[in-house]
């Protein structure tokens, strides 16, 4: 019961907004995507955990993601079979658009 099928990490959050343009932040976009994806996956029968949501997003900074209650620590504590980390790029090095990180093994 304490093992999740999927953990979704909505990139950035709190004081770490990630990319930003015209008042739209990466942290807000990835959180919206993550919450919507969680709903869809749960409708398919998966047990899903978010590393951050409306209750804990404000506590995050760029440097505390590995702290006791950090995003990465929350992902590891979930014992999920799969982790998906969502990011949105707006980079001068030809990285633009939506990006998904997942393990290779």
């Amino acid at each position: 019961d304490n093992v999740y099928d999927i953990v979704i990490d909505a990139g950035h959050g709190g004081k770490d907004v990630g990319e930003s343009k015209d008042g739209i932040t990466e942290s807000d976009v990835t959180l919206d995507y993550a919450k919507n994806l969680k709903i869809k996956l749960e409708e398919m029968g998966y047990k899903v955990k978010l590393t951050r949501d409306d209750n804990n997003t404000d506590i995050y900074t760029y440097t505390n993601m590995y702290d006791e209650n950090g995003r990465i620590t929350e992902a590891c504590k979930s014992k999920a079979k799969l982790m998906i980390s969502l990011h949105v790029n707006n980079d001068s090095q030809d990285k633009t658009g939506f990006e998904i990180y997942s393990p290779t093994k």
Side-chain angles (χ1 to χ4, degrees), residues 39-82:
I39 290 167
K40 297 290 185 189
L41 290 170
E42 287 175 339
E43 288 172 354
M44 296 170 63
Y46 293 102
K47 185 175 178 183
V48 181
K49 177 174 180 64
L50 299 178
T51 58
R52 66 182 183 91
D53 56 27
D54 296 328
N55 297 317
N56 66 352
T57 288
D58 291 341
I59 67 170
Y60 292 120
T61 66
Y62 179 74
T63 58
N64 72 356
M65 69 180 87
Y66 293 97
D67 288 355
E68 183 178 343
N69 294 312
R71 288 180 16 242
I72 304 308
T73 304
E74 287 298 312
C76 292
K77 288 192 300 190
S78 75
K79 301 178 185 177
K81 300 169 190 169
L82 176 67

